[in-house]
Amino acid sequence: MAVLGLFAAVRAAPGPWQRVACAAAGFRGRCPGKGYAVGRAQSQPTFGFLLDIDGVLVRGHRVIPAALKAFRRLVNAQGKLRVPVVFVTNAGNILQHGKAQELSALLGFKVEPDQVILSHSPMKLFSQYHGKRMIVSGQGPLVENAQILGFKNVVTVDELRMAFPVLDMVDLQRRPKTTPLPRNDFPAIEGVLLLGEPVRWETSLQLIMDVLLSNGNPGTGLATAPYPHLPVLASNMDLLWMAEAKMPRFGHGTFLLCLETIYRKVTGKELRYKGLMGKPSILTYQYAEELIRRQAERRGWAAPIQKLYAVGDNPMSDVYGANLFNQYLKMAKHERAEKLGASGLLKQRPSATQSCASILVCTGVYSPETPGSTEPAQGGEVPFHGHRDFSFSPGLIEASHIVNDVDEAVQLVFHKEGWAL
């Protein structure tokens, strides 16, 4: 499958990838404030923004003040964006239109649902699995999200637990008081859909393992676990994310790490994915690029969007993903994009985008004043917080620019593009 080729290529990092590695500016000790001279106004943008949400625009349910300043620059007197903007988040436990409404209320202008990319949005492209009976893990409007993505036959972890009560044994209060009769009328599960971090990790980990080890028939069990196992699709690889707490919180990437570790410990084999979505996946950036193009087209902006600026707070997802996509764009000029994978899934017109610059802000996961999660310990190496299937390359986590906040990021870009602040 094409997407597997992508992840294999990223993990192995063969010669061509290494040859085009970015010589980026790298991490600096401080995020100095910047002031920019006013440039000339433009009516036809040739660039667009990919904005992360958590740690860039908001912290938990609080808007970051710099975000309001940034959007006063980005929105014109008529309340319309001056340049195309897409919000790219690794969150997934919410509906797309709900996230758009939330952003509209926080930022003070109308955000359309098709300006928001959730971590699982590219799963719409995996139509070969949409008709299969899938167990879905996460929280929030799980079934509705799965149906919006195209999946027609999903079973939640709670539904599976109710069908087979003896599978969930960690919580003593939830253990069945009597042994229920075995069931043989429960249709086999044909795949696993991981949309975001669940609430009861021990339950989800146990039941997903049961599904994989039993080839979709957790009420029976098999003497030998099948391999290759049932198809697994996952979104949001963030190990950590930033909310109101002073230190980062566990993300869905931590849950995936637990599942992968348990599977390998039990079977001696690697858990394999048919698709990994969300930043830093190239497929997510291709999807965002297409939404930027459509947005510009709707606004009647005829000039092609040639540059993307990705603003984020997490070096391991936002910076890594933007730099990886920038490499992809450069390689696509000289080689067939199919060699990198995902183009077979996303059928779009030839790309006009020439570059994707990474801009790291200091209002979220990354903080130059608090070394730790993204900087090396004294005398040590940078800990790699990215997913197992993405190789660690120091150049990929080096941002093109580091600024204090999203307002400085917008000022930086407008200055580079000669736009009025």
Side-chain angles (χ1 to χ4, degrees):
M1 181 178 173
V3 75
L4 282 179
L6 165 64
F7 300 129
V10 173
R11 191 174 187 184
W17 284 89
Q18 295 169 338
R19 289 197 299 271
V20 298
C22 294
F27 293 113
R28 295 185 282 275
R30 290 180 49 82
C31 291
K34 298 188 188 322
Y36 297 112
V38 174
R40 59 190 174 89
Q42 296 283 333
S43 58
Q44 292 283 315
T46 58
F47 63 97
F49 284 95
L50 308 181
L51 299 181
D52 183 30
I53 298 176
D54 292 302
V56 174
L57 306 178
V58 301
R59 287 279 294 268
H61 296 289
R62 294 185 299 105
V63 66
I64 295 172
L68 299 177
K69 295 179 183 177
F71 276 89
R72 284 196 286 271
R73 304 181 196 280
L74 289 168
V75 175
N76 63 22
Q78 291 73 44
K80 300 288 187 181
L81 286 167
R82 299 168 63 193
V83 298
V85 174
V86 166
F87 303 90
V88 188
T89 176
N90 269 354
N93 295 320
I94 190 172
L95 295 173
Q96 190 177 28
H97 68 79
K99 197 66 176 177
Q101 291 174 349
E102 180 184 300
L103 287 171
S104 298
L106 289 170
L107 299 175
F109 85 101
K110 177 68 172 174
V111 176
E112 300 294 341
D114 63 0
Q115 287 179 274
V116 177
I117 297 179
L118 302 176
S119 62
H120 47 63
S121 294
M123 285 189 184
K124 294 175 182 177
L125 306 171
F126 287 76
S127 56
Q128 66 271 44
Y129 300 107
H130 288 171
K132 294 185 179 296
R133 183 171 169 83
M134 308 283 284
I135 183 170
V136 58
S137 170
Q139 58 182 288
L142 269 182
V143 173
E144 190 174 354
N145 259 328
Q147 291 172 342
I148 290 171
L149 294 171
F151 296 93
K152 304 174 179 64
N153 189 2
V154 295
V155 179
T156 67
V157 170
D158 279 342
E159 288 171 338
L160 184 63
R161 185 181 67 84
M162 294 299 292
F164 301 99
V166 297
L167 299 182
D168 186 21
M169 301 298 282
V170 172
D171 188 341
L172 297 178
Q173 299 299 318
R174 299 214 301 180
R175 287 186 182 180
K177 304 303 184 227
T178 60
T179 302
L181 294 174
R183 291 187 57 168
N184 56 11
D185 61 341
F186 195 83
I189 293 172
E190 301 173 284
V192 179
L193 194 58
L194 307 175
L195 297 187
E197 57 269 27
V199 175
R200 287 180 171 266
W201 285 29
E202 79 283 357
T203 298
S204 293
L205 289 168
Q206 178 69 75
L207 270 63
I208 291 167
M209 282 294 298
D210 289 335
V211 167
L212 293 172
L213 297 178
S214 66
N215 204 34
N217 296 281
T220 59
L222 296 176
T224 303
Y227 200 82
H229 52 70
L230 293 174
V232 179
L233 299 175
S235 64
N236 185 357
M237 296 167 270
D238 282 353
L239 188 77
L240 303 168
W241 68 287
M242 203 69 191
E244 289 97 339
K246 299 297 184 183
M247 293 187 293
R249 303 294 87 195
F250 290 155
H252 193 223
T254 305
F255 179 83
L256 297 180
L257 177 61
C258 292
L259 181 62
E260 293 156 8
T261 304
I262 294 169
Y263 187 88
R264 182 171 180 80
K265 191 71 173 179
V266 170
T267 68
K269 299 180 174 67
E270 293 271 8
L271 181 73
R272 298 296 184 188
Y273 298 93
K274 293 296 185 182
L276 276 169
M277 266 114 325
K279 298 174 289 188
S281 165
I282 288 177
L283 183 57
T284 292
Y285 286 85
Q286 285 186 303
Y287 196 83
E289 177 193 18
E290 176 66 5
L291 293 190
I292 285 280
R293 185 195 64 77
R294 292 179 188 176
Q295 189 180 142
E297 193 175 74
R298 284 197 308 272
R299 292 291 302 275
W301 293 326
I305 303 301
Q306 298 178 334
K307 300 177 186 176
L308 296 178
Y309 293 93
V311 184
D313 70 305
N314 191 332
M316 298 296 177
S317 58
D318 299 310
V319 173
Y320 188 112
N323 288 344
L324 191 65
F325 185 54
N326 190 56
Q327 288 186 358
Y328 171 85
L329 291 171
K330 293 184 182 305
M331 289 184 67
K333 292 180 182 179
H334 305 97
E335 301 179 18
R336 290 173 57 86
E338 286 80 3
K339 291 183 180 178
L340 297 183
S343 57
L345 287 170
L346 188 61
K347 299 187 184 305
Q348 59 187 124
R349 68 187 64 186
S351 172
T353 307
Q354 298 176 0
S355 65
C356 181
S358 55
I359 304 178
L360 182 65
V361 299
C362 305
T363 50
V365 170
Y366 174 74
S367 173
E369 306 301 329
T370 311
S373 61
T374 59
E375 292 189 346
Q378 187 173 3
E381 296 181 354
V382 177
F384 182 50
H385 290 174
H387 188 266
R388 174 201 72 188
D389 288 359
F390 288 78
S391 64
F392 176 58
S393 172
L396 288 176
I397 62 169
E398 293 176 353
S400 305
H401 308 278
I402 301 179
V403 296
N404 274 316
D405 52 47
V406 66
D407 184 45
E408 284 193 8
V410 171
Q411 292 184 61
L412 169 71
V413 173
F414 277 14
H415 175 71
K416 289 174 65 68
E417 297 294 333
W419 272 51
L421 297 177

